Amino acid sequence: MPFSEGAIIYHAAGYLRLSKEDGDKTESDSISNQRDLIANFVKSTPEIRLCSERIDDGFSGVDFHRPAFHLMMEDVKAGRINCIIVKDLSRFGRNYIEAGRYIERIFPFLGVRFIAINDGYDSAKERTQSDEIIIPFKNLINDAYCRDISVKIRSQLDIKRKKGEFLGTFAVYGYLKSEEAKHQLVIDPYAAEIVRDIFAWKLEGLSQQGIADRLNDIGEPSPLEYKRFLGMNFATGFQVNPKAKWTAVAIGRILKNPVYAGHLVQGKESTPNYKIKQRVLKPENQWIRVENTHKPIIAQEVFDTVSRVLMQDTRIAPDEETVYPFSGLIFCADCRSGMVRKTVPAGGKRYAYYYCSKNKAGCGCTTHCISERILEKAVLKAVQNHIASILNVERILRTIDTLPMQREEIRKIDTQLLMKQEEIQKYKTLRASVYEDLKSGVLDAEEYREFMGIYGKKCEEAQQAAERLKQNKSTILAGKEANSIWVEAFKKNRNIAGLSRKLVVSLIEWIHVYPGSRVEIRFRYQSEYERAQLFAENAEKQIAEPSQIARREVV
């Protein structure tokens, strides 16, 4: 249409947007492609003068919180432009409700002409009845497309997480991203040593704040400062001081993070949907945990011990740097309340005792009291005896492991287990056939109930027998583990002459104090030890029986 004198002149802004997050096709939707299309359109439209160009490169169309879009709207409000041109409605936005609100209400109110070139929409032209349907429908399609892309992206990310791929922007402190595989973590030798120190100091009885203070005193850079030292462009909303320091919170995060034991836990946070960008914490049962995805910095045994220590109710006494060796582990045998440490002066010296906290507070229970010196001697002796017993069990297991009888026992159990599983399947089939006989009229209701009861009972008995066989096999296999973690945990302390906080929390679960200074100790890995001991005793009997028979035959 030729341009005539006196026609309205429109001062336009070309709006360009591109986002991989929305699944935009970078070739057809590229910024240069959009720019060329708008420029050619303006050339063919004499009443429009292109005054500015606003570009949101890398911003999603799901919402309108985009910097260039806001600048363009400021130009509208200031009267500098009265026309907005986009390649198509998807470049303007993919939010059905918000896009419709701007096109139908805000732009008409502000006197803004809106043009979507490829969609053939121009608000200055008379709208047909089909436009009233098509434009909202196209906005809805764009919205649905964005939702579909969001679902696909979330699904793909979850697949990567379940495969054990690390998806964080930055590797956690102590690790680096592999140069060969960006989703694989590799140990950072320098930072890993600091992580090992943090776990060791915690086992020695330091608090999280005490560990943070120690690291700050020696001038060790915090995780944030270390990232900057490595040249990473890292920012956080948690920083308060110009130079970030170690804090108790940072230490706590490291001590609780299973990544240091070689496991990845990802997908803890998410957005409610593709339109809301605020992240929220997901329930723990929805987190994605994959074990043994990378080389650990901390042994699993050490990580588990520290986790137990973190759950204990411990406090560091005034003027002390670490907690006492038995803190959080010693309890009253009657009421299960924690025992509190108290020092008593006598003869110019101070003696330490442990009292039942409930009785000491006047809330009931009886007087339970034990001298710290007597407690230390009793615990040390018990630990030494327990280690000697474990070493003896280990010796027996190593001897048994060289004999063919153990392999024969496993083979026999596997055969029996297979027979029981076949028996279970037989009775299940019979129960199903009884139901078919009832339907066909071969059996009446009373006979049906009788046969169902018989086969049901036999099936249950076979299942119980199979479960016992599985337990027997587990006991034998558990007994074979002479080189397992629980054995090594005690073996490395075979020559102990005294107690330390690290040793106590590594080997003991709890100590119960009875009246009369009698103590009961529950060691860690107690169930594994008992299974191995039982297996060793049974195996020794089986070895002894053939030799006794042989002696009788000789006689």
CSV table of all heavy atoms in Angstrom, one decimal, residues 55 144 205-206 210 219 226 322 394 398 400 431:
chain,number,residue,atom,x,y,z
A,55,ILE,N,17.1,-6.8,22.6
A,55,ILE,CA,17.5,-8.2,22.4
A,55,ILE,C,17.6,-8.9,23.8
A,55,ILE,O,18.3,-8.5,24.6
A,55,ILE,CB,18.8,-8.4,21.7
A,55,ILE,CG1,18.8,-7.7,20.3
A,55,ILE,CG2,19.2,-9.9,21.5
A,55,ILE,CD1,20.1,-7.6,19.6
A,144,ALA,N,2.0,-24.5,25.5
A,144,ALA,CA,2.0,-25.9,25.6
A,144,ALA,C,3.4,-26.5,25.1
A,144,ALA,O,3.9,-27.5,25.6
A,144,ALA,CB,0.9,-26.6,24.8
A,205,GLY,N,37.0,-34.9,68.1
A,205,GLY,CA,36.1,-34.3,69.1
A,205,GLY,C,36.0,-32.8,68.9
A,205,GLY,O,35.3,-32.1,69.7
A,206,LEU,N,36.5,-32.2,67.8
A,206,LEU,CA,36.3,-30.8,67.6
A,206,LEU,C,34.8,-30.5,67.1
A,206,LEU,O,34.2,-31.3,66.4
A,206,LEU,CB,37.2,-30.2,66.5
A,206,LEU,CG,38.6,-29.6,67.1
A,206,LEU,CD1,39.5,-30.8,67.6
A,206,LEU,CD2,39.3,-28.8,66.0
A,210,GLY,N,34.8,-25.1,65.9
A,210,GLY,CA,36.2,-25.3,66.2
A,210,GLY,C,37.0,-25.6,65.0
A,210,GLY,O,38.2,-25.1,64.8
A,219,GLY,N,44.9,-19.8,57.9
A,219,GLY,CA,44.8,-19.1,56.6
A,219,GLY,C,44.4,-19.9,55.4
A,219,GLY,O,44.7,-19.6,54.3
A,226,TYR,N,38.6,-20.5,47.4
A,226,TYR,CA,39.4,-21.5,46.6
A,226,TYR,C,38.9,-21.5,45.2
A,226,TYR,O,39.7,-21.7,44.2
A,226,TYR,CB,39.3,-22.8,47.3
A,226,TYR,CG,40.2,-23.9,46.7
A,226,TYR,CD1,41.6,-23.8,46.8
A,226,TYR,CD2,39.7,-25.0,46.0
A,226,TYR,CE1,42.4,-24.7,46.2
A,226,TYR,CE2,40.5,-25.9,45.4
A,226,TYR,CZ,41.9,-25.8,45.5
A,226,TYR,OH,42.7,-26.7,44.9
A,322,THR,N,38.0,-29.9,72.7
A,322,THR,CA,37.3,-31.0,72.1
A,322,THR,C,36.3,-31.6,73.1
A,322,THR,O,36.4,-31.3,74.3
A,322,THR,CB,38.3,-32.1,71.7
A,322,THR,OG1,39.0,-32.6,72.8
A,322,THR,CG2,39.2,-31.6,70.6
A,394,GLU,N,38.6,-64.4,63.3
A,394,GLU,CA,39.2,-64.2,61.9
A,394,GLU,C,40.2,-65.4,61.6
A,394,GLU,O,40.2,-65.9,60.5
A,394,GLU,CB,40.0,-62.9,61.9
A,394,GLU,CG,40.6,-62.6,60.5
A,394,GLU,CD,41.7,-61.6,60.5
A,394,GLU,OE1,42.4,-61.5,61.5
A,394,GLU,OE2,41.9,-60.9,59.5
A,398,ARG,N,39.7,-67.9,58.5
A,398,ARG,CA,40.7,-68.1,57.4
A,398,ARG,C,41.1,-69.6,57.2
A,398,ARG,O,41.3,-70.0,56.1
A,398,ARG,CB,42.0,-67.3,57.8
A,398,ARG,CG,41.8,-65.8,57.6
A,398,ARG,CD,43.1,-65.1,57.8
A,398,ARG,NE,43.0,-63.7,57.7
A,398,ARG,CZ,42.9,-63.0,56.6
A,398,ARG,NH1,42.9,-63.6,55.4
A,398,ARG,NH2,42.7,-61.6,56.6
A,400,ILE,N,39.0,-72.1,57.9
A,400,ILE,CA,37.8,-72.8,57.3
A,400,ILE,C,37.7,-72.5,55.9
A,400,ILE,O,37.3,-73.3,55.1
A,400,ILE,CB,36.5,-72.3,58.1
A,400,ILE,CG1,36.5,-72.8,59.5
A,400,ILE,CG2,35.3,-72.8,57.4
A,400,ILE,CD1,35.5,-72.1,60.4
A,431,ARG,N,-3.4,-73.7,43.7
A,431,ARG,CA,-4.4,-72.7,44.2
A,431,ARG,C,-5.1,-72.1,43.1
A,431,ARG,O,-6.4,-71.9,43.1
A,431,ARG,CB,-3.7,-71.6,45.1
A,431,ARG,CG,-3.4,-72.1,46.5
A,431,ARG,CD,-2.5,-71.1,47.2
A,431,ARG,NE,-3.1,-69.8,47.4
A,431,ARG,CZ,-3.9,-69.5,48.4
A,431,ARG,NH1,-4.1,-70.4,49.4
A,431,ARG,NH2,-4.4,-68.3,48.5
